Amino acid sequence: MNIRNAQGTGEIESLFERLKLAWDRGDGEAYGACFTEDADYVTFQGEHLQGRKAIADTHQELWNSVLRGSALEGEIKKIRFITPEIAIFHGLGVVKLRWQKTAPKKRDSINTNIAVKQNGEWKIAAFQNSRISGPGLMQKLFMKLSK
């Protein structure tokens, strides 16, 4: 089911922009505010952060250290409404570190988000991030052997 929801689309795009802006400012509280109180957040490394506070605190620690001055670049590629108040969206993203003019292609990621509308405002209830990469050596070998 794919419900058309032009207003919801614009609001989710705005949410994604607020997320990127909070990252760029290194603002854990504003970043966390983009998520529901009980959100699940799975990093590209497979770490599972549970709840808005854990998401905000973990990111603030990163921005206070290794990710200080970094910028989040990205865009939403697809939004699919399951109901008028629940949507799945896929975004592309990459972190550009403060000394880089451009982010390395090898750090490109794709994320899957479940957004819900609560009290008239869209929030991310679940987020899962994965690095974009081609098939590894073992996968190439198995593909070749399976022919």
Side-chain angles (χ1 to χ4, degrees), residues 83-135:
T83 74
E85 296 185 338
I86 300 172
I88 298 170
F89 73 90
H90 291 89
L92 297 179
V94 64
V95 173
K96 182 178 74 169
L97 301 174
R98 66 182 174 268
W99 61 84
Q100 296 174 318
K101 290 189 191 305
T102 59
K105 191 84 175 137
K106 68 181 179 182
R107 283 209 317 269
D108 285 354
S109 295
I110 185 165
N111 53 71
T112 303
N113 301 265
I114 298 180
V116 297
K117 194 167 190 176
Q118 294 181 334
N119 302 317
E121 189 174 10
W122 286 94
K123 301 281 185 180
I124 299 168
F127 170 95
Q128 193 278 324
N129 195 33
S130 299
R131 281 277 191 258
I132 298 172
S133 64

Side-chain angles (χ1 to χ4, degrees), residues 28-29 31-33 35-41 43 47-63:
E29 188 173 324
Y31 191 80
F35 296 86
T36 62
E37 192 67 42
D38 61 349
D40 288 287
Y41 188 110
T43 70
E47 181 181 5
H48 184 191
L49 305 176
Q50 297 178 55
R52 177 185 294 154
K53 182 171 176 13
I55 295 165
D57 291 351
T58 299
H59 283 84
Q60 191 63 63
E61 288 175 21
L62 291 169
W63 294 318

